[in-house]
Amino acid sequence: MRTGPFPTGPKSPGRPLVRPLHHLALLGLLLLPNLAWAQRRGAFEYPPAPRADVIEDLHGTKVADPFRPLEDDNAAATKAWVEAENKITFAYLEGIAARGPLKERLTKLWNYEKFTTPRREGKQYFYSYNTGLQNQSVLFVANSLAEAGRVLIDPNTLSADGTVALGGTSVSDDGRFVAYSVADGGSDWQTWRVRDVATGRDLDDLVKWSKFSGAAWTKDGKGFYYARFPEPQPGADLKGSNYFQKLYYHELGKPQLGDRLVFENPSEKNWMFQATVTDDGRYLVITVRKSSAPKVKVYYQDLSAPAMRPFELVGSFDAKYQFIDNVGPWFYFETDKDAPLGRVIAINVNQPAPESWRTIVAESTSALQNANMVGDRLIATYLQDARSLVRVFDLDGWALRDVPLPGL
């Protein structure tokens, strides 16, 4: 849903942003004859894969691994085998009669402009825009919602072959800088850079070996928090295991080598950290994960005394705790602790024991999808009867009103 006059791209009143895709069900029917043919034995002459007589002794059990040579993705034999396999694959795909019409139809359906909701930082608005078929959306900045924006970061120009992708972006609160990460060749590794919004040019700052991390600016705009792994051994950056992530603070204008270590746990190799600076700038909230599961631990640090170590606020990986915001020492979280459908709680940093937690918004009969704090209000979005329900609460949990939505 558009909420204002967006500054670029043709206006398209009435054009739906979500298209019905039931026609994709035809895909299976179109490809069935080809799949049946491909499944016949002897339809293809596959190239022999590189092999070796490798047998591992795992605690007394002999395990054969004849295809161990394929683990060397840079070996000439591996590259030749991949190339031969690709020749078979693409020759088969090019012979599918429905492929051309299907591509043409999908191209038409996907060719519509796309916007993200503008986000105001300082006196400017930041949003992403895609004309329709661009590989990556472009980050724009505008002085107001009524005037045309300008390109700030176009990830489609980061590499000639399109293999460099824009990862995370984080704008400083005053709107002067945007920290952005790029990933090369589909890798999870992120390299962070900082762009001056006014000039559109990058600063000299370069932060490497970050992965699964955002960038959290301090309120003074002098630097940001990020998570990184130890630098891998040469040649192992794309295939080595990554353990012992650490949380750092990078000060603008300083080399990464001097970044301040904020948090780590040398005894827990799987812990990963996400940093958030509270809106009042007083606290750093550190969310700790040890897997892809949403169950987390939470620490906090008083930024008025940055020399002090972070303190534990939620001490066990027993539930989801999504930080919303704080009001003084009270930290608000969306959680499924003792509430499978979700609730909002508040924890006082001076009395963090679970028995002192306050339930602000109790569990409902509908699933709580997310909650945000806007001014002195909580905005909660529920899934009710397969549609969105948006409800406004005060900070003590009293329901004030529902937000009328334009449709399902």
Side-chain angles (χ1 to χ4, degrees):
M1 174 184 173
R2 297 185 183 174
T3 57
F6 290 88
T8 66
K11 301 297 183 291
S12 306
R15 179 184 297 175
L17 295 184
V18 178
R19 302 280 184 166
L21 295 179
H22 55 271
H23 58 277
L24 290 179
L26 295 174
L27 176 61
L29 295 176
L30 292 170
L31 298 183
L32 277 177
N34 302 77
L35 294 175
W37 173 75
Q39 289 171 350
R40 292 202 305 268
R41 296 181 63 86
F44 302 123
E45 292 186 8
Y46 292 104
R51 299 172 67 101
D53 294 328
V54 177
I55 298 178
E56 294 275 12
D57 187 335
L58 302 177
H59 308 287
T61 300
K62 304 293 185 181
V63 178
D65 187 6
F67 297 107
R68 179 69 61 83
L70 285 175
E71 294 187 8
D72 185 356
D73 54 335
N74 290 314
T78 302
K79 292 180 179 180
W81 177 77
V82 170
E83 184 178 352
E85 287 278 353
N86 282 339
K87 286 182 180 179
I88 295 175
T89 300
F90 290 110
Y92 167 72
L93 293 175
E94 290 168 2
I96 299 175
R99 193 172 184 230
L102 185 63
K103 179 181 179 181
E104 181 180 357
R105 177 63 175 151
L106 290 175
T107 300
K108 288 181 179 179
L109 290 171
W110 288 331
N111 188 13
Y112 62 93
E113 59 183 355
K114 307 167 187 71
F115 294 95
T116 60
T117 304
R119 179 183 179 91
R120 182 175 177 176
E121 299 293 354
K123 297 181 179 180
Q124 302 175 98
Y125 294 86
F126 299 82
Y127 64 97
S128 293
Y129 172 69
N130 193 304
T131 58
L133 295 177
Q134 290 174 287
N135 287 332
Q136 300 184 64
S137 295
V138 179
L139 182 63
F140 279 77
V141 60
N143 292 323
S144 74
L145 293 177
E147 67 178 61
R150 60 181 173 86
V151 174
L152 184 58
I153 301 176
D154 184 355
N156 301 290
T157 64
L158 294 178
S159 64
D161 58 1
T163 58
V164 176
L166 179 65
T169 59
S170 179
V171 184
S172 61
D173 278 38
D174 56 11
R176 290 185 59 197
F177 304 109
V178 55
Y180 70 98
S181 67
V182 296
D184 192 358
S187 170
D188 287 327
W189 287 116
Q190 299 170 278
T191 299
W192 288 93
R193 293 179 170 84
V194 179
R195 181 155 295 187
D196 186 305
V197 174
T199 65
R201 297 178 180 176
D202 286 347
L203 307 183
D204 293 333
D205 298 74
L206 189 67
V207 172
K208 302 181 66 177
W209 308 119
S210 179
K211 184 182 287 192
F212 314 128
S213 171
W217 287 90
T218 51
K219 296 304 171 180
D220 57 13
K222 294 182 178 180
F224 57 86
Y225 296 91
Y226 70 97
R228 60 160 291 184
F229 288 95
E231 182 176 349
Q233 295 294 323
D237 52 324
L238 297 180
K239 53 188 176 183
S241 298
N242 303 124
Y243 298 114
F244 300 108
Q245 192 184 58
K246 300 178 182 181
L247 186 67
Y248 286 89
Y249 173 72
H250 174 73
E251 184 178 350
L252 291 187
K254 301 292 182 65
Q256 184 181 10
L257 187 63
D259 286 356
R260 174 167 55 87
L261 177 62
V262 176
F263 194 66
E264 66 171 331
N265 190 331
S267 63
E268 295 288 348
K269 68 177 185 179
N270 291 317
W271 280 23
M272 294 186 292
F273 310 107
Q274 190 70 37
T276 303
V277 176
T278 57
D279 282 346
D280 62 7
R282 172 70 183 272
Y283 299 100
L284 173 69
V285 180
I286 304 170
T287 302
V288 184
R289 296 181 184 273
K290 61 178 180 179
S291 69
S292 59
K295 297 180 179 181
V296 301
K297 295 180 69 170
V298 181
Y299 292 76
Y300 76 95
Q301 184 181 43
D302 189 337
L303 295 181
S304 65
M308 296 181 64
R309 63 177 178 83
F311 292 96
E312 189 176 86
L313 190 61
V314 176
S316 61
F317 294 98
D318 63 346
K320 167 187 175 182
Y321 297 93
Q322 179 64 47
F323 177 70
I324 300 173
D325 207 342
N326 74 304
V327 178
W330 287 97
F331 284 32
Y332 286 68
F333 292 90
E334 173 199 340
T335 182
D336 57 4
K337 171 68 173 175
D338 300 327
L341 295 180
R343 61 177 175 142
V344 176
I345 64 172
I347 304 175
N348 192 308
V349 296
N350 299 314
Q351 295 177 310
E355 56 268 23
S356 299
W357 296 359
R358 291 176 52 199
T359 294
I360 303 299
V361 178
E363 182 181 23
S364 170
T365 56
S366 300
L368 178 62
Q369 293 186 303
N370 61 72
N372 291 282
M373 189 179 294
V374 181
D376 59 353
R377 296 289 184 264
L378 283 169
I379 314 296
T381 302
Y382 294 90
L383 184 64
Q384 182 184 74
D385 300 329
R387 63 183 177 87
S388 293
L389 169 67
V390 180
R391 183 160 291 165
V392 181
F393 299 85
D394 67 17
L395 297 185
D396 291 321
W398 290 97
L400 302 177
R401 63 185 179 93
D402 289 350
V403 178
L405 300 178
L408 293 178

